[in-house]
Amino acid sequence: MTSEQVLQIASEYLSEQDVTFLRNAYLMAERSHKDQFRKSGEPYIAHPVQVAGILADLGMDPNTIAAAFLHDVVEDTDVPLEEIAREFGDEVAMLVDGVTKLGKIKYKSKEEQQAENHRKMFVAMAKDIRVILIKLADRLHNMRTLKHLPPEKQRRIANETLEIFAPLAHRLGISAIKWELEDTALRYLNPQQYYRIVNLMKKKRAERETYIDEVKNKIVERLGNVGVKAEINGRAKHIYSIYRKMALQNKQFNEIYDLLAVRIIVKNIKDCYAVLGIIHTHWKPMPGRFKDYIAMPKANMYQSLHTTVIGPKGDPLEVQIRSEDMHKVAEYGVAAHWAYKEKKNVDDNNESLETKLSWFREIIEWQNDTNDAQEFMESLKIDLFSDMVFVFTPKGDVIELPKGSVPLDFAFRIHTEIGNRCIGAKVNGKMVPLDHELKTGDIVDILTSKHSYGPSQDWLKLTQSSHAKNKIRQWFKKERREENVEKGRDLIEREIDRKGYEQKEVLTTENLSRVANKFNFTSDEDMYAAVGYNGITAAQIVTRLTDNIRKQQEEEAENQTITEAVEDLKSYSTPKKGSVGVRVKGIDNLLIRLSRCCNPVPGDDIIGYITKGRGVSIHRSDCPNIDNSEAKTRLLPVEWEGDQQKTKNYNVDIEISGFDRRGLLNEVLQAVAETKTNINAVSGKSDKNKMATIDMTISIQNVAHLQKVVDRIKQIPDIYAVRRVMH
């Protein structure tokens, strides 16, 4: 999609003035990203254009699409956020800032940095839901172009997509984005199963299409008899949902009958129930498979009637019935509530949206009370991404809670004071303990007392929802501040002693202030109090308090270890400089060998490891065998020698996966031969699902040569993946 095509889509529902506004945003992005390129080799501006196109297809407002054009400008160029605010307004600047990663801050690990990035995004999103719509569109286009990244990065991004972004798209009701994120992530996390399901679905496509046409014709005939107009189509089950059913229920592909559903879209709610009656009259419904999401919508605002009947050939057939408005919400979720295409009253839409997404506003409360970003993300996953149960108040109101919730979660969801004064609970009219697990359909009645002493620390272990845990911590924070300050100070001092540090060296005013700031506390006492009421652990605080001391000790120890190791190495090493095309920076006359576990080749980032008795072993920088604290004390900087990169050959192991068919191995061997590459070893196997795996050792000169071989193999039909193997 080009920028002009995006603007053309937007012009179908926006004014000429709005389109000019978007064009200016695009031009600024184009200037800012000039001379920048993506891993695929295409100009960087192509990415924000595609993100803006996805949002234009959803019918989003001008500020959101402008922010999509500009979403990487602050992060990847020299343009400050203030300039965006000056040119396009504070709202666009706020949206851009919401999706901008945290740079310029040093973190202990990539995981910690990523957790902080997600935390920032979710907090911005709680203020304006459009932040996440831009982020979802951004992630969707990144997933579409994931093939250009290294396999390790592909798997990390795909896993993060399945863990966070796909569930979030589901929670916001945007199925149009959710299913593509899930299917694409599976393609990189488990390519064998993905392509196997794709091939199996292709084989039965004609059979399914004939079957669905027969069903549609019968439904059209019966709806015509009663004068109901409807749009009817078949919906094939998505690859990831088939994979999950096979994995969770331990089923083979041929044992899954509900590979497709018939979707019937009518004008209004009255017609929905009329169609349901016709379907149940014509085909026998299966017991327990009817769900009325119109009367009881899902938390993501999804509404529809679902029923499973015994179809024409005796197989189960799922039927979904919904109105046109319900269908828009089902496909686009919260995005449908901006409704610019229909020119509806946006303020009214936003008001109803605020009500329906009230659970999302709690994010700000959680993050204010959770000072560790990784803990924040874990609690967020529990509440937003876990399966849910739906329980009732005695008056019949529906309350949604995370699966595994207990009566205390229910009590705090009703009202904080009801939770604080809870002394017992009845479920379906019977007394139950406070750790009783609630199930969908339960009617819960909370017993309270004015004389209750309030929550106990055990409640933090019993409750499942972040909402309840947050309210309990707030109670302890408020009611027992002095006691918590003393308790927290004592816990921190004991943790310092336990780790073998001097208290006076660690608990300096400057150090305490630095760490309190880091965790967003306004004072040392607030930090002590938080430790006292279990808002944060003493170990987390002490780890931060001692990080400078620890870093200094580690540097001293590492320098001493390397010095001793090099001296020891020189005493037994034989001069073999340049024998493998690698040299140690700043040191001559060392025995050097290439490690067989990762087989580094010229062009790879490499590191040297001082072995005991066998010289310096050269590994790839991402080799898992050097990723531990003991190994890091024996690492040396090394580099390839340029004059040997073109004349020496290096062995590399690769694994090729594909769909087994006659002649596949011969085609692979022929493809490698065409690149003038020697094959040192080859073996192959095929499983019962017709998945072929070919292991090959090839002799190459450098990374560019390897990439040429891989690219050629990938051109062969039925090849799914080629990866470099580390042992």
Side-chain angles (χ1 to χ4, degrees), residues 332-579:
Y332 304 124
V334 297
H337 282 256
W338 265 265
Y340 270 78
K341 285 182 180 176
E342 288 78 16
K343 303 288 184 186
K344 291 180 182 175
N345 188 312
V346 180
D347 292 332
D348 289 346
N349 269 324
N350 285 346
E351 189 178 334
S352 68
L353 185 65
E354 289 289 323
T355 306
K356 291 177 180 177
L357 292 178
S358 58
W359 50 270
F360 225 77
R361 306 302 158 202
E362 293 168 7
I363 289 175
I364 292 181
E365 286 186 41
W366 304 341
Q367 77 93 24
N368 283 340
D369 205 63
T370 305
N371 298 288
D372 179 77
Q374 287 170 308
E375 182 188 337
F376 170 73
M377 284 307 300
E378 287 308 312
S379 66
L380 191 70
K381 285 179 191 177
I382 291 170
D383 260 22
L384 297 190
F385 309 142
S386 64
D387 291 333
M388 310 304 287
V389 294
F390 300 87
V391 296
F392 295 90
T393 68
K395 292 182 179 179
D397 295 327
V398 181
I399 304 295
E400 180 191 18
L401 296 166
K403 191 172 182 181
S405 290
V406 299
L408 285 170
D409 293 290
F410 176 88
F412 280 102
R413 185 58 59 90
I414 297 297
H415 196 280
T416 304
E417 278 307 301
I418 291 177
N420 288 339
R421 294 179 179 179
C422 176
I423 58 169
K426 287 183 180 180
V427 173
N428 302 325
K430 294 180 181 178
M431 288 294 296
V432 295
L434 292 178
D435 63 354
H436 174 83
E437 186 175 327
L438 300 176
K439 294 180 175 57
T440 294
D442 284 346
I443 300 170
V444 187
D445 190 6
I446 300 297
L447 307 178
T448 61
S449 170
K450 291 181 181 178
H451 306 294
S452 166
Y453 289 106
S456 74
Q457 289 284 356
D458 288 339
W459 286 13
L460 288 169
K461 297 174 187 174
L462 294 180
T463 49
Q464 288 296 309
S465 65
S466 298
H467 176 82
K469 291 180 189 295
N470 181 50
K471 295 299 181 185
I472 294 165
R473 289 192 185 107
Q474 281 181 358
W475 187 87
F476 283 111
K477 183 177 179 179
K478 183 179 177 183
E479 296 294 318
R480 302 181 180 176
R481 179 173 170 79
E482 288 185 15
E483 181 184 328
N484 286 329
V485 169
E486 285 305 312
K487 183 180 175 184
R489 183 180 281 112
D490 182 53
L491 287 170
I492 286 174
E493 288 174 354
R494 277 195 281 172
E495 182 68 13
I496 291 170
D497 291 340
R498 191 182 72 78
K499 290 195 170 182
Y501 295 103
E502 289 289 331
Q503 285 187 26
K504 63 180 180 181
E505 191 179 354
V506 175
L507 297 175
T508 63
T509 305
E510 185 183 344
N511 203 23
L512 284 167
S513 178
R514 175 182 68 86
V515 174
N517 239 0
K518 180 72 179 173
F519 285 105
N520 298 322
F521 294 113
T522 54
S523 68
D524 305 352
E525 284 205 345
D526 283 348
M527 183 170 72
Y528 285 132
V531 175
Y533 65 76
N534 287 341
I536 192 168
T537 66
Q540 287 173 291
I541 297 295
V542 172
T543 298
R544 289 287 185 172
L545 285 169
T546 58
D547 53 7
N548 289 338
I549 300 170
R550 197 169 57 254
K551 187 177 180 183
Q552 187 179 346
Q553 290 174 346
E554 285 171 359
E555 283 176 0
E556 290 172 359
E558 186 176 332
N559 290 338
Q560 186 178 354
T561 303
I562 289 179
T563 302
E564 291 172 356
V566 170
E567 290 304 315
D568 181 44
L569 197 59
K570 285 180 177 177
S571 66
Y572 60 71
S573 292
T574 305
K576 287 197 176 182
K577 180 188 172 188
S579 61

Side-chain angles (χ1 to χ4, degrees), residues 45 141 221 226 318 705:
I45 189 62
H141 183 247
E221 181 186 334
V226 294
E318 185 183 341
H705 183 184

Side-chain angles (χ1 to χ4, degrees), residues 115-212:
E116 285 285 4
N117 284 332
H118 287 143
R119 176 185 179 131
K120 179 190 174 191
M121 178 186 72
F122 280 112
V123 172
M125 167 189 171
K127 294 174 185 172
D128 194 315
I129 206 77
R130 289 173 295 176
V131 168
I132 202 59
L133 296 178
I134 298 169
K135 194 65 186 175
L136 285 172
D138 171 66
R139 178 52 60 109
L140 180 59
H141 183 247
N142 282 337
M143 291 300 291
R144 288 173 178 173
T145 56
L146 205 56
K147 63 184 177 184
H148 301 292
L149 297 181
E152 296 79 15
K153 206 164 184 181
Q154 287 176 348
R155 285 190 289 273
R156 179 180 64 75
I157 292 172
N159 193 57
E160 181 184 78
T161 299
L162 267 189
E163 271 198 353
I164 294 174
F165 291 98
L168 188 55
H170 170 68
R171 201 75 160 92
L172 298 175
I174 313 173
S175 62
I177 289 179
K178 176 216 171 201
W179 72 261
E180 189 175 347
L181 288 177
E182 288 179 336
D183 284 2
T184 314
L186 179 64
R187 180 179 159 195
Y188 291 99
L189 290 174
N190 196 333
Q192 288 85 355
Q193 284 287 19
Y194 175 86
Y195 286 108
R196 180 189 163 219
I197 292 169
V198 168
N199 278 308
L200 289 168
M201 288 181 77
K202 277 181 186 174
K203 287 181 181 177
K204 295 199 170 187
R205 179 178 293 165
E207 183 184 327
R208 284 200 312 274
E209 286 176 353
T210 304
Y211 177 70
I212 207 69

Side-chain angles (χ1 to χ4, degrees), residues 62-109:
N63 284 337
T64 307
I65 300 174
F69 277 129
L70 298 163
H71 78 275
D72 277 335
V73 165
V74 174
E75 187 177 331
D76 295 332
T77 74
D78 296 330
V79 177
L81 193 64
E82 293 76 22
E83 187 173 336
I84 290 177
R86 197 164 52 247
E87 293 284 332
F88 300 99
D90 292 339
E91 196 171 310
V92 172
M94 180 273 295
L95 293 172
V96 170
D97 186 48
V99 293
T100 299
K101 291 179 191 157
L102 297 166
K104 303 176 184 175
I105 300 176
K106 297 285 184 184
Y107 292 96
K108 274 193 307 183
S109 65

